[in-house]
Amino acid sequence: MILTYSRQGFILFFAMLLQTLQTNAQQTASKTNFNQGPTWTSDNGNGTFTNPLFYDEFSDPDLIRVGDDYYLTGTAMHAMPGLPVLHSKDLVNWDFVCYVVDKLDFGPAYRLENGLDIYGQGIWAPCLRHHNGQFYIFTNVNGQTTQLFTATNAAGPWTQTKMKKSFHDLSVLFDDDGKVYVVWGYDEVHLAELTADLTDTKPGTEQVIVPKGSGAGEGCHFYKINGRYYITNTNYDPLCYQVCLRADKPTGPYEINVMSAKENLGVGTGWQHKNIRKGPPFELMPPVKNFVGSIPMHQGGIVQIQSGEWWGWSMLDHNSVGRVTALSPVTWKDDWPYFGLPGNLTRSPRTWIKPSTGFSSPPHAPYQRSDDFAAGKLQPIWQWNHVPVDKKWSLVKRKGYLRLQSLPAPDFWTARNSLTQRAIGPESVATTSIETGGLKSGDVAGLALLNLPYAWIGISKEDGTTKIKMFDHQTGKVTIAKATASRLWLRVHCDFDTEKAVFSYSSDGNIFRDLGDTIIMVFQLRTFQGVRFSLFNFNTSNIEGGYADFDDFIVQEPRPHGLTQPIPYGKVITLTSLADSTLLVNWKDFVRPLPGKDRFAEGGHAHFRVLDRGNGRIALQSLVDSGFVTVKGLGGMAEVRIEKEEKGEASLFQWQDMLRGDLMLMSIATHRYLIADPNAKSLTSADAAGTRPDRKDGSCFTWKIIE
């Protein structure tokens, strides 16, 4: 065959060939450069862990031990699939096992049809149990009776059964006499005995065991320990705290004791709605200085591990990133369990020694957050916003791509087949690359922050033209940029410390341009979830339009570890108080905070060498006289002095990275924190129970390496 080309045709041919090669190169580079990167991992790799266990939402957690194995589940709300089950050997490193239910469909609202939705509803507050070789999950579902799921293997298959009644925030106890009890309620606690098939209560057994106004709230976890009955429970008035109920019989009478209070890990309440039912624009309340609200550890339970230690888990309403899960050592005193350590009960450390389960897994996260869509199935991190239309999305129509077919919707909030995953803190950057050649008029496809208010950046096809748009639900403002290529990169950068997000776009995957105003991310109870990343495609012309091909989704985390910086072992450092910028110095025979220009702060008086004592613990040795910072006077004020020699635990401190460039030093002798009171100008002591959100009470320090 002989081919002939005109000069113009020849040039056109090579132009098309070059464009094809460039497109293929971009696609190849995208797959080649695909790299999940490090994600938040609680295990510090030095024998310690840092709270939270997961820096994304894992709310209403329930946890059990089965032999040497631990299992965890939590709330899913309207996200599908639902009821995640995680497994661990050491309580710190967790692996995803399965979702118990692929789809929960009780009508149009579950499918975002007919203008209906189940935002903030669906599956919530599950109770996980194991008895006689069988796993049980009892869970609330709005508008339905409590649902029971059973399996002989945590990985499934799971069988679903409808119970006869609905039990708010229930917990179930399989007693050793063969009876099965359920407790539930809000502000008052109900108890009843369940029937043998676990679907109903036995007639005449229901009663109120804790009346209203007694100090109990909701979120029960029911246990029998050494012949006594214990119920952990959360109260929300005036601030979140966790209580424990105790009785000699399941029917009571119950005593109530506070077991966890005030522990907010140095984080305060962020942006919130004043009235979520009015808007947009919504009336938003800015953060209130040092107000903690519902952040402190609450709504959790306890478990005894192989070594005999007790550990507790709970959640914190951690502002717009969602309700996160934390792990705490438990101390028993007078037959009451307390979160925290001796000398500092009801307060939990951000960083502590890992549980002694006899097993130690390598540090890892339960999920892979990034996805190149080449596996033929979605990564477990993904969940659909409501029940999806399966025929309108695909991973096989174009190998290595997620194809979303647009469905009619007036806006993102009502768009079906939006694929979501939990945003991750304390800071994360989500980037997706999208090909827009399949879009039709009225289609809008892109990357969103699912929240209320929500925001998105996307590609809009209108009257034959393609535009890049950023939409801010709070203001209704649309910011537009010109689309110069059929393949574009969309990005959002979320800082959950400041609760601000910025959208950007790129035509080459390298140079990104910001688009639109900075977004305020808000904690809200309309979705009852934290902020979620979302990939979407909907059509505003009330038709089924075209399709968008997403090549990949990459999550990058600037601060993915509990140790944001390595502990400076062997280095000489200075410690500066966040409260008043004074230096910690060795003056005569004791340690004291003094202004940086004070004559005693000159030379080596402010210099301390950090000595490694294992498990993230340090000793501080003064360069002036080689003495050691030591806690004295344990019977009263825990004064801090310089001793010529180390004095065991009195000279040891647990390094606590506070994730924002500052640290706290926990005395191993007192289990309280080094504090230099800026108001009293007193000697340094080690009796701070914790810190407040502004971290200017004298217990938080920055450090600088001198040599």
Side-chain angles (χ1 to χ4, degrees):
M1 180 182 295
I2 299 176
L3 300 179
T4 59
Y5 293 95
S6 66
R7 178 180 176 86
Q8 183 178 3
F10 189 78
I11 294 174
L12 179 61
F13 169 78
F14 273 94
M16 294 174 62
L17 178 61
L18 180 60
Q19 182 178 4
T20 301
L21 291 174
Q22 289 175 336
T23 300
N24 290 339
Q26 287 179 335
Q27 295 174 2
T28 301
S30 174
K31 296 296 181 182
T32 301
N33 295 333
F34 175 78
N35 183 5
Q36 174 187 344
T39 187
W40 174 264
T41 306
S42 182
D43 193 330
N44 294 318
N46 63 356
T48 70
F49 71 95
T50 292
N51 280 312
L53 283 181
F54 322 115
Y55 218 126
D56 55 346
E57 182 164 271
F58 201 97
S59 58
D60 302 328
D62 200 12
L63 183 155
I64 59 171
R65 173 187 165 194
V66 182
D68 289 331
D69 299 288
Y70 297 88
Y71 297 93
L72 179 68
T73 191
T75 286
M77 289 298 177
H78 51 276
M80 304 291 170
L83 282 178
V85 175
L86 306 185
H87 168 262
S88 177
K89 285 287 191 178
D90 62 7
L91 281 175
V92 172
N93 296 284
W94 293 84
D95 295 292
F96 176 81
V97 176
C98 73
Y99 286 108
V100 171
V101 55
D102 182 51
K103 296 184 182 71
L104 194 65
D105 190 351
F106 288 114
Y110 284 75
R111 302 187 294 269
L112 279 175
E113 293 179 346
N114 303 334
L116 303 174
D117 66 72
I118 57 162
Y119 281 115
Q121 302 180 53
I123 301 171
W124 51 279
C127 168
L128 174 61
R129 290 293 180 262
H130 183 269
H131 181 67
N132 287 342
Q134 186 95 338
F135 288 92
Y136 300 87
I137 295 181
F138 305 80
T139 189
N140 295 278
V141 176
N142 295 86
Q144 304 293 320
T145 59
T146 296
Q147 305 292 300
L148 170 60
F149 297 88
T150 57
T152 56
N153 188 312
W158 290 80
T159 300
Q160 181 178 353
T161 304
K162 293 183 180 180
M163 298 181 71
K164 301 291 179 59
K165 298 179 180 179
S166 183
F167 305 95
H168 178 95
D169 278 12
L170 79 159
S171 185
V172 172
L173 172 67
F174 290 89
D175 208 342
D176 46 26
D177 62 0
K179 294 182 179 180
V180 185
Y181 296 100
V182 58
V183 292
W184 74 98
Y186 177 82
D187 192 30
E188 64 181 7
V189 181
H190 297 248
L191 176 139
E193 189 178 342
L194 290 177
T195 55
D197 63 2
L198 307 180
T199 62
D200 202 356
T201 58
K202 289 186 176 180
T205 63
E206 181 177 340
Q207 59 184 289
V208 174
I209 57 174
V210 180
K212 292 183 178 180
S214 299
E218 61 180 346
C220 291
H221 297 263
F222 199 11
Y223 308 99
K224 187 175 185 180
I225 303 169
N226 296 330
R228 274 182 162 174
Y229 296 85
Y230 293 85
I231 303 172
T232 61
N233 188 280
T234 289
N235 203 332
Y236 293 89
D237 186 19
L239 303 174
C240 264
Y241 61 95
Q242 186 163 306
V243 298
C244 183
L245 290 61
R246 184 181 72 183
D248 293 326
K249 299 186 298 182
T251 54
Y254 280 87
E255 307 169 85
I256 301 179
N257 189 50
V258 175
M259 67 182 299
S260 179
K262 298 183 180 179
E263 190 52 68
N264 56 295
L265 302 180
V267 177
T269 298
W271 287 85
Q272 295 193 4
H273 283 268
K274 188 171 184 179
N275 186 346
I276 200 169
R277 298 183 182 278
K278 293 183 178 180
F282 299 97
E283 188 174 356
L284 303 181
M285 299 183 296
V288 177
K289 185 177 181 180
N290 289 327
F291 179 66
V292 297
S294 58
I295 287 180
M297 291 183 180
H298 63 280
Q299 197 151 329
I302 56 177
V303 64
Q304 188 176 30
I305 67 175
Q306 294 92 318
S307 63
E309 297 174 357
W310 284 85
W311 286 80
W313 70 91
S314 55
M315 68 180 185
L316 302 90
D317 291 12
H318 213 272
N319 297 320
S320 60
V321 79
R323 297 178 293 169
V324 301
T325 295
L327 185 66
S328 176
V330 168
T331 299
W332 285 84
K333 183 179 180 181
D334 300 327
D335 291 330
W336 287 106
Y338 293 88
F339 279 24
L341 298 160
N344 199 12
L345 301 182
T346 75
R347 300 297 294 265
S348 299
R350 180 180 279 279
T351 297
W352 191 241
I353 308 299
K354 291 174 59 178
S356 302
T357 65
F359 297 87
S360 184
S361 304
H364 66 278
Y367 299 100
Q368 177 177 313
R369 302 183 185 281
S370 299
D371 200 341
D372 62 1
F373 305 120
K377 63 179 181 180
L378 294 170
Q379 297 291 343
I381 188 68
W382 292 111
Q383 292 174 290
W384 296 98
N385 180 21
H386 292 64
V387 177
V389 183
D390 286 333
K391 293 183 179 180
K392 298 301 179 180
W393 71 275
S394 175
L395 290 171
V396 298
K397 287 187 177 179
R398 186 179 180 187
K399 189 175 180 180
Y401 289 78
L402 167 69
R403 175 166 292 184
L404 292 181
Q405 174 82 40
S406 71
L407 293 167
D411 51 35
F412 167 72
W413 184 257
T414 57
R416 304 187 67 185
N417 279 17
S418 293
L419 187 62
T420 75
Q421 64 168 265
R422 300 178 297 279
I424 178 76
E427 185 178 1
S428 52
V429 181
T431 306
T432 187
S433 55
I434 178 174
E435 290 197 6
T436 62
L439 295 181
K440 293 184 178 180
S441 183
D443 286 350
V444 184
L447 171 66
L449 295 180
L450 176 55
N451 195 33
L452 195 69
Y454 59 83
W456 54 257
I457 186 170
I459 315 302
S460 173
K461 191 72 173 287
E462 300 174 1
D463 301 324
T465 62
T466 304
K467 300 176 182 178
I468 305 171
K469 292 184 177 180
M470 183 268 166
F471 177 74
D472 182 350
H473 182 221
Q474 170 67 0
T475 63
K477 181 179 178 180
V478 178
T479 307
I480 300 175
K482 185 177 180 180
T484 59
S486 61
R487 181 183 180 87
L488 295 163
W489 284 259
L490 308 176
R491 172 174 288 177
V492 63
H493 181 177
C494 300
D495 187 333
F496 290 99
D497 287 338
T498 62
E499 297 199 284
K500 294 181 179 180
V502 176
F503 286 93
S504 59
Y505 69 95
S506 173
S507 59
D508 61 6
N510 295 310
I511 300 174
F512 282 81
R513 297 174 177 83
D514 292 349
L515 190 65
D517 298 328
T518 298
I519 299 298
I520 297 296
M521 299 182 291
V522 181
F523 177 78
Q524 45 78 33
L525 300 182
R526 177 64 172 89
T527 68
F528 236 116
Q529 292 180 329
V531 171
R532 285 183 168 239
F533 299 132
S534 178
L535 302 178
F536 67 89
N537 185 16
F538 64 92
N539 187 281
T540 59
S541 299
N542 200 32
I543 61 171
E544 292 189 10
Y547 60 85
D549 284 342
F550 295 87
D551 189 10
D552 53 30
F553 182 86
I554 298 174
V555 179
Q556 297 166 304
E557 299 174 45
R559 292 176 281 161
H561 305 296
L563 283 173
T564 57
Q565 302 178 68
I567 300 175
Y569 295 130
K571 303 294 184 180
V572 176
I573 66 170
T574 58
L575 290 164
T576 303
S577 171
L578 283 184
D580 53 12
S581 299
T582 58
L583 288 169
L584 201 68
V585 300
N586 174 7
W587 178 52
K588 294 183 180 179
D589 63 339
F590 56 86
V591 177
R592 180 176 184 174
L594 290 173
K597 294 183 180 180
D598 192 286
R599 62 189 180 91
F600 296 111
E602 295 175 357
H605 286 85
H607 296 171
F608 298 89
R609 190 175 300 278
V610 180
L611 304 178
D612 183 4
R613 295 298 180 254
N615 288 329
R617 295 175 177 180
I618 66 163
L620 290 172
Q621 186 177 32
S622 173
L623 255 61
V624 172
D625 53 16
S626 298
F628 295 88
V629 179
T630 302
V631 178
K632 302 284 286 184
L634 301 184
M637 176 181 174
E639 186 179 326
V640 179
R641 290 182 173 271
I642 296 292
E643 293 288 336
K644 292 181 180 180
E645 298 179 353
E646 286 190 67
K647 300 295 183 180
E649 289 187 346
S651 300
L652 292 183
F653 297 89
Q654 191 81 49
W655 186 281
Q656 311 259 328
D657 191 322
M658 296 300 287
L659 309 183
R660 297 182 184 176
D662 55 335
L663 67 90
M664 297 177 72
L665 292 171
M666 176 195 281
S667 167
I668 301 303
T670 65
H671 294 135
R672 292 183 174 235
Y673 301 92
L674 196 71
I675 182 170
D677 191 333
N679 299 311
K681 299 295 181 184
S682 62
L683 308 184
T684 306
S685 66
D687 56 8
T691 189
R692 65 193 191 204
D694 69 0
R695 305 186 183 184
K696 292 185 178 181
D697 56 348
S699 64
C700 291
F701 302 85
T702 58
W703 56 273
K704 179 181 179 182
I705 295 178
I706 303 301
E707 61 180 61

